[in-house]
Amino acid sequence: MAKIPVIAIDGPAGVGKSTIACRLAKTLGYNILISGVLYRIFGMQLHQSQIASDDKYQIESLIAGTDLRFVLSDDGVQIYLNDTLIGDNIYQENYAKMASAIGESAVLRTALLPMQRGFRRPPGLVADGRDMASVVFPDAMLKIFLQADINERCRRRQQQLELRGVYATLDTLYKELLQRDQRDSERSIARLKIVDNAIVLDTTKLSIIEVVNELMGVVESKLNERGK
């Protein structure tokens, strides 16, 4: 598995991780993992099924019976849950809150590791999240940490949500991002952090194309070092 290259992209909410990860994966012809979607989906399912976040048996059973696929498209990525296409409502903020809250469950995080690592298939994987480099893929070929000013992150998140037909005020998004930043950075397990050998890139004043182009230069250099 270590021979299959992984590009791990971490960073706070609204920094552009998923968009950039999809662009990189499509350019490279790699598979894609958007780990935040997993936490949104299972946060929703645990809530609907009234499964406790520390119920190891039921959580493992739920995950074992779940098939999740990410399919890259011209518009980004399509998500299939048990062969059913998931709509954009998964990106609503109530699901984001569930994902952030359930992310504190050590039982769920441990149970999800095999599923997440299962996305590591030839020819390679681009994985985005909060702990991709630190926990899920510590042997990743390339570890990237994206950051941006919170006001810019709010603006981007608002624009992203509007494209999906979801509307939120900048003030609401600001408060929600602050809460999520604090929760993700202070939780006892898999907290949001910059690993020692990560490439840190501030995207505040950069366009998506500029970020992708800069990262592609780094990726190509790494692949050349590995001899492809």
Side-chain angles (χ1 to χ4, degrees), residues 49-174:
S49 302
Q50 296 185 327
I51 298 174
S53 61
D54 61 351
D55 190 327
K56 184 174 182 290
Y57 175 77
Q58 288 205 62
I59 287 174
E60 288 179 347
S61 178
L62 178 64
I63 292 173
T66 300
D67 178 60
L68 188 64
R69 291 185 295 119
F70 295 96
V71 179
L72 290 167
S73 65
D74 292 337
D75 297 327
V77 63
Q78 293 179 322
I79 305 158
Y80 289 87
L81 176 62
N82 298 328
D83 292 325
T84 299
L85 180 64
I86 295 178
D88 285 342
N89 65 326
I90 195 69
Y91 292 103
Q92 292 178 356
E93 286 305 300
N94 60 318
Y95 289 109
K97 290 178 182 177
M98 285 186 200
S100 186
I102 203 67
E104 298 180 14
S105 167
V107 172
L108 179 63
R109 283 192 169 276
T110 300
L112 276 177
L113 279 175
M115 173 181 274
Q116 292 180 96
R117 289 171 177 162
F119 284 91
R120 188 178 197 170
R121 297 187 293 269
L125 173 69
V126 180
D128 111 64
R130 303 287 195 281
D131 62 345
M132 293 297 98
S134 60
V135 177
V136 184
F137 299 107
D139 64 339
M141 174 189 76
L142 184 60
K143 301 175 182 180
I144 299 164
F145 191 93
L146 300 179
Q147 55 190 19
D149 174 79
I150 190 168
N151 291 305
E152 175 62 17
R153 287 161 53 203
C154 289
R155 187 193 68 78
R156 291 175 183 174
R157 176 50 61 90
Q158 184 184 55
Q159 186 177 53
Q160 183 184 53
L161 290 173
E162 286 180 354
L163 288 173
R164 294 168 174 153
V166 180
Y167 300 93
T169 66
L170 288 173
D171 183 58
T172 297
L173 291 174
Y174 186 90

Side-chain angles (χ1 to χ4, degrees), residues 152-204:
E152 175 62 17
R153 287 161 53 203
C154 289
R155 187 193 68 78
R156 291 175 183 174
R157 176 50 61 90
Q158 184 184 55
Q159 186 177 53
Q160 183 184 53
L161 290 173
E162 286 180 354
L163 288 173
R164 294 168 174 153
V166 180
Y167 300 93
T169 66
L170 288 173
D171 183 58
T172 297
L173 291 174
Y174 186 90
K175 292 175 182 176
E176 289 174 346
L177 287 185
L178 274 182
Q179 291 173 352
R180 289 176 65 186
D181 285 353
Q182 183 175 10
R183 186 160 49 215
D184 291 344
S185 299
E186 296 179 356
R187 65 187 176 213
S188 59
I189 56 168
R191 66 172 57 92
L192 176 66
K193 66 178 182 179
I194 303 173
V195 297
D196 290 339
N197 54 344
I199 293 172
V200 181
L201 181 61
D202 190 315
T203 69
T204 303

Side-chain angles (χ1 to χ4, degrees), residues 20 23-24 27 207-217:
I20 290 163
R23 295 282 185 94
L24 281 177
T27 301
S207 68
I208 294 295
I209 293 175
E210 289 172 328
V211 174
V212 171
N213 286 342
E214 185 163 342
L215 292 181
M216 275 302 301

